[in-house]
Amino acid sequence: MFGRGLKRKCFDNEEEADGPPAGVRAVAPYDLQRQSLLDMSLVKLQLCHMLVEPNLCRSVLIANTVRQIQEEMTQDGAWRMVAPQGAGLAPLDRLVSTDILCRSAQEQEHGKPGPEDSTFPKGFKEDQAPDLTCDAPAVTAAQAPEHPPSSVWDLDSSRENRGSFQKSLDQIFETLESKNPSSVEDLFSDVDSSYYDLDTVLTGMMGSSRAGPCDTLEGFTPLAPAPPGPGCKADLGELDHIVEILVET
Amino acid sequence: ADIISTVEFNYSGDLLATGDKGGRVVIFQREQESKSRPHSRGEYNVYSTFQSHEPEFDYLKSLEIEEKINKIRWLPQQNAAHFLLSTNDKTIKLWKISERDKRAEGYNLKDEDGRLRDPFRITALRVPILKPMDLMVEASPRRIFANAHTYHINSISVNSDHETYLSADDLRINLWHLEITDRSFNIVDIKPANMEELTEVITAAGFHPHQCNVFVYSSSKGTIRLCDMRSSALCDRHSKFFEEPEDPSSRSFFSEIISSISDVNFSHSGRYMMTRDYLSVKVWDLNMENRPVETYQVHEYLRSKLCSLYENDCIFDKFECCWNGSDSAIMTGSYNNFFRMFDRNTRRDITLEASRENSKPRAVLKPRKVCTGGKRKKDEISVDSLDFNKKILHTAWHPVENVIAVAATNNLYIFQDKIN
């Protein structure tokens, strides 16, 4: 359906035999889907930096989508307010409250389901079409932004996470290489690891000075946690630990 | 052939201009009717080809400036020559296209080859005479309007006064005089003082067809603002604000993206305007701001696929739309080389395909149908089989007749009503 590209994985719930127990799967999907969408959006924002100036309209729309997701995530209340799927559209009509703190604890209990377990909830108005996929990197993996980064990061430096980080990194590299080979070298150049939040990304793309390829991915070993930036920039705070966005202003 | 990025008929419909990703402009001219060749009535053949824009490099930002032609707009014809404006992301150019079918012969100082004659050999003076020659069509740049846009130009629109035009980028709209290239007036500026607060961009703009003080611009949030240049020099405050209230039951994370308007066009009458967002075309009455008077679904079956379309970036595709000459019908493109036409009076619509494989030249086009669920009938195509790389973003309708031009990637199709 979508021509060339990475091999698509099926989003179908029933095909996964080795995921978490069905009870958890039924409750979790919306948050995972939302997280996947957030991850995908953040990747899209990074991949904007090509040889040609990025499309501002596209960047703004993606950034607004990220903000929407972040706002909803931070407004979420109790984790268990996500109703089972039988409740229909009701919980999705309003902003669903999910306590990030509780969610990360929850995920530590149940292990982190990979993206192939996810199906989009009705709120996304998606059919479970076979081609539907979100190969979003699991790098940001629903880490609690409000947590003191040290505790969250320590809890999550598991082998499983590193495995999925590597996989996501490969995907990003593959996409980047096909678009702009020279940016791959820049990925390994020494960069300033200061904190960049979404707004800075957006500002950086307005680009007064040179905006070379901007993605920098620094290793997978747990870094010393950076101090949380101003405000609650949700998963971007986590993104900082794993994927550093370099924007030259 | 390169990917076509814009298509535009001139005011009479005799000329059709296309711009492509490589910065070239190709102009087609309609053949005159002739009794000896009845089938070639109305055929468009290449009239002129020229390189309008070249790739540039912005050294300050270390970024390339694409030579892709974003828009072409014709000027009304005032003499034998034709004029058009073509623009890439940063620079607008006024081109003059003129015919030369006579050549002067019999110069005194040079001979027929162009070599200079030895003055001492000239013993008599003669007056050069004009002799016919094979038609030559020349394009020459007459004005270059540069350095006025920080962001990417998405629209140009010639004013009904035929002296001025506007150019719009993501955050600003400038007013130019066709004769003056070193100055332009900024008439709209939505750049926030702090770029971090940017949430909305300008997506399209255009002058009213009759009222030279009125223009509209659309935004990425699905709104249209109508401005009157008489009210103030800087039209940051709109005169009218068009927005349809959101349907809360269909809200999703993609709602804003699919509401972003990709094209806005006044009707020829000037009473209505039409906007294109990702899934629909809306007709607005300029006198009613709170909702459109007509809404046409282009490909509603894609609503359930928005996540995939977001992932592969198709959700950001900018489709254009156009009116027919009498404003009774509208047309817009879709995927799989499909394009849609809606009759505003009968409310009928049709889906057609621009494809060499599926229709022979001069054959009547067969209506297409997308199967949205359940059993697929014969001749229907299912949503999952649609080719999303084959998108028809640019279409144009002859100003008077039922002739349409459809750009399918790097191919141009011209269709017309069946001649009985």
Side-chain angles (χ1 to χ4, degrees):
Chain A
M1 177 187 183
F2 296 110
R4 61 182 186 278
L6 301 174
K7 180 138 174 62
R8 304 303 189 200
K9 287 192 276 194
C10 177
F11 243 108
D12 201 349
N13 225 2
E14 288 82 56
E15 292 196 12
E16 290 310 314
D18 51 346
V24 174
R25 233 187 290 143
V27 176
Y30 177 75
D31 303 306
L32 285 173
Q33 299 310 311
R34 186 174 58 185
Q35 186 63 50
S36 290
L37 186 62
L38 179 65
D39 297 341
M40 181 178 19
S41 303
L42 292 170
V43 170
K44 276 184 182 304
L45 281 176
Q46 295 166 54
L47 293 179
C48 283
H49 301 279
M50 301 292 155
L51 275 176
V52 184
E53 216 165 346
N55 184 332
L56 184 60
C57 180
R58 175 179 175 273
S59 306
V60 166
L61 289 172
I62 298 173
N64 289 350
T65 306
V66 169
R67 270 198 206 98
Q68 266 185 66
I69 298 174
Q70 290 174 346
E71 275 167 18
E72 192 182 284
M73 285 169 124
T74 55
Q75 280 180 39
D76 284 351
W79 159 245
R80 277 160 193 83
M81 269 174 76
V82 177
Q85 280 177 350
L89 293 175
L92 305 168
D93 281 347
R94 55 181 168 83
L95 293 176
V96 175
S97 294
T98 305
D99 184 3
I100 311 286
L101 302 175
C102 290
R103 183 176 74 224
S104 61
Q106 176 91 345
E107 288 187 340
Q108 281 132 36
E109 280 172 48
H110 297 277
K112 201 165 55 62
E116 56 270 16
D117 285 338
S118 310
T119 49
F120 269 78
K122 293 186 180 60
F124 284 87
K125 306 283 180 187
E126 295 287 353
D127 289 341
Q128 292 191 11
D131 288 336
L132 204 63
T133 185
C134 285
D135 268 338
V139 281
T140 56
Q143 300 314 314
E146 292 90 348
H147 261 314
S150 52
S151 57
V152 169
W153 183 249
D154 292 345
L155 287 166
D156 280 307
S157 57
S158 64
R159 197 169 15 104
E160 179 191 3
N161 288 344
R162 279 200 211 127
S164 51
F165 295 163
Q166 180 69 52
K167 185 182 73 153
S168 310
L169 181 68
D170 286 343
Q171 288 169 355
I172 294 176
F173 273 142
E174 187 179 339
T175 319
L176 276 175
E177 272 184 10
S178 61
K179 284 186 182 181
N180 184 4
S182 66
S183 65
V184 176
E185 287 119 49
D186 287 338
L187 291 169
F188 296 101
S189 58
D190 282 345
V191 296
D192 177 12
S193 61
S194 56
Y195 178 81
Y196 284 96
D197 63 5
L198 173 65
D199 294 332
T200 314
V201 170
L202 200 58
T203 314
M205 286 190 288
M206 303 320 109
S208 49
S209 55
R210 61 179 296 263
C214 303
D215 296 294
T216 305
L217 298 144
E218 286 198 1
F220 308 104
T221 56
L223 304 168
C232 263
K233 295 305 176 184
D235 289 278
L236 272 177
E238 303 312 311
L239 194 63
D240 184 43
H241 296 302
I242 302 131
V243 176
E244 300 226 321
I245 304 169
L246 172 71
V247 176
E248 292 193 60
T249 51
Chain B
D2 221 332
I3 296 175
I4 298 172
S5 49
T6 184
V7 185
E8 185 82 354
F9 280 99
N10 74 339
Y11 281 76
S12 65
D14 275 346
L15 296 177
L16 174 67
T18 63
D20 68 22
K21 202 157 158 270
R24 273 192 336 162
V25 171
V26 180
I27 301 178
F28 299 84
Q29 186 184 45
R30 196 174 198 192
E31 294 303 323
Q32 298 304 318
E33 289 187 45
S34 92
K35 293 192 177 69
S36 59
R37 297 179 63 206
H39 285 296
S40 69
R41 173 209 168 234
E43 261 186 24
Y44 283 82
N45 296 316
V46 176
Y47 177 66
S48 170
T49 303
F50 57 93
Q51 187 74 31
S52 171
H53 286 71
E54 299 277 1
E56 287 172 38
F57 195 76
D58 181 339
Y59 290 94
L60 208 59
K61 297 186 196 175
S62 278
L63 292 170
E64 284 182 8
I65 299 171
E66 282 188 316
E67 67 275 29
K68 172 168 73 88
I69 308 293
N70 292 336
K71 280 288 186 314
I72 289 174
R73 289 287 181 262
W74 292 91
L75 267 55
Q77 191 174 9
Q78 286 168 336
N79 51 37
H82 299 277
F83 288 87
L84 60 78
L85 288 169
S86 76
T87 185
N88 69 347
D89 283 338
K90 298 284 187 181
T91 305
I92 306 133
K93 295 187 184 181
L94 175 69
W95 286 89
K96 175 181 179 183
I97 298 104
S98 48
E99 293 183 0
R100 186 196 291 260
D101 62 354
K102 293 185 192 47
R103 188 181 63 219
E105 278 182 16
Y107 285 102
N108 290 292
L109 294 178
K110 51 182 180 166
D111 59 25
E112 298 314 313
D113 299 337
R115 282 178 302 192
L116 292 172
R117 289 168 80 196
D118 184 359
F120 293 108
R121 303 264 164 106
I122 299 170
T123 52
L125 281 181
R126 57 188 177 175
V127 177
I129 54 175
L130 290 177
K131 291 221 174 121
M133 60 179 257
D134 289 339
L135 179 66
M136 210 167 71
V137 182
E138 301 171 319
S140 58
R142 304 304 285 182
R143 305 270 187 279
I144 296 181
F145 306 90
N147 302 320
H149 285 280
T150 308
Y151 304 99
H152 290 180
I153 298 174
N154 52 54
S155 309
I156 48 176
S157 176
V158 181
N159 204 347
S160 52
D161 64 9
H162 301 165
E163 285 184 353
T164 58
Y165 74 95
L166 64 76
S167 59
D169 67 28
D170 296 313
L171 297 179
R172 299 192 177 102
I173 302 180
N174 293 330
L175 178 71
W176 300 84
H177 192 284
L178 285 164
E179 299 289 327
I180 300 170
T181 59
D182 60 354
R183 263 173 295 153
S184 76
F185 288 104
N186 175 243
I187 53 176
V188 173
D189 188 340
I190 65 167
K191 180 172 189 265
N194 185 357
M195 278 299 273
E196 294 174 1
E197 292 162 6
L198 180 66
T199 57
E200 189 173 13
V201 300
I202 297 170
T203 53
F207 269 118
H208 190 278
H210 309 311
Q211 298 170 30
C212 58
N213 52 295
V214 172
F215 66 94
V216 292
Y217 67 94
S218 59
S219 83
S220 55
K221 288 200 172 175
T223 66
I224 310 101
R225 289 169 177 81
L226 183 145
C227 301
D228 187 334
M229 294 196 292
R230 298 172 301 189
S231 58
S232 69
L234 187 60
C235 299
D236 274 359
R237 293 175 59 193
H238 52 263
S239 300
K240 296 195 186 200
F241 182 78
F242 298 83
E243 185 180 29
E244 184 173 25
E246 193 186 3
D247 174 14
S249 68
S250 63
R251 172 140 190 85
S252 73
F253 283 123
F254 305 109
S255 293
E256 184 183 317
I257 299 177
I258 63 170
S259 75
S260 173
I261 292 173
S262 51
D263 194 16
V264 67
N265 269 317
F266 281 101
S267 64
H268 292 92
S269 64
R271 165 100 189 265
Y272 300 96
M273 69 177 174
M274 166 168 59
T275 58
R276 174 70 154 101
D277 50 73
Y278 190 62
L279 296 179
S280 68
V281 178
K282 296 178 181 172
V283 175
W284 302 78
D285 185 324
L286 292 187
N287 298 315
M288 187 161 77
E289 300 169 52
N290 58 354
R291 59 177 175 81
V293 289
E294 294 154 35
T295 301
Y296 301 94
Q297 302 301 335
V298 181
H299 37 218
E300 181 69 11
Y301 46 79
L302 296 183
R303 191 180 288 273
S304 56
K305 310 285 181 196
L306 290 179
C307 185
S308 308
L309 294 164
Y310 178 70
E311 191 196 4
N312 66 12
D313 265 13
C314 281
I315 206 173
F316 301 107
D317 286 336
K318 288 185 186 269
F319 292 93
E320 293 172 4
C321 53
C322 60
W323 301 85
N324 72 341
S326 59
D327 298 336
S328 63
I330 58 184
M331 169 168 64
T332 188
S334 177
Y335 293 105
N336 208 72
N337 280 345
F338 288 170
F339 58 99
R340 304 261 285 140
M341 293 162 90
F342 303 92
D343 186 318
R344 294 178 63 211
N345 300 322
T346 65
R347 293 306 176 123
R348 281 171 38 200
D349 63 87
I350 191 167
T351 305
L352 298 171
E353 183 178 2
S355 146
R356 264 191 294 239
E357 292 101 33
N358 292 330
S359 58
K360 301 193 191 82
R362 299 184 206 293
V364 174
L365 288 178
K366 205 170 62 164
R368 299 273 174 228
K369 194 151 160 52
V370 177
C371 164
T372 53
K375 238 168 107 69
R376 186 178 79 88
K377 300 195 186 76
K378 178 176 176 294
D379 279 354
E380 285 186 358
I381 178 165
S382 74
V383 183
D384 296 316
S385 311
L386 295 174
D387 188 341
F388 287 81
N389 292 317
K390 292 186 180 166
K391 43 193 100 177
I392 291 183
L393 304 173
H394 312 288
T395 59
W397 208 312
H398 190 286
V400 179
E401 298 185 27
N402 275 345
V403 177
I404 58 175
V406 174
T409 317
N410 51 2
N411 292 315
L412 180 72
Y413 291 82
I414 299 177
F415 301 107
Q416 54 192 26
D417 260 356
K418 186 168 174 325
I419 307 161
N420 292 322

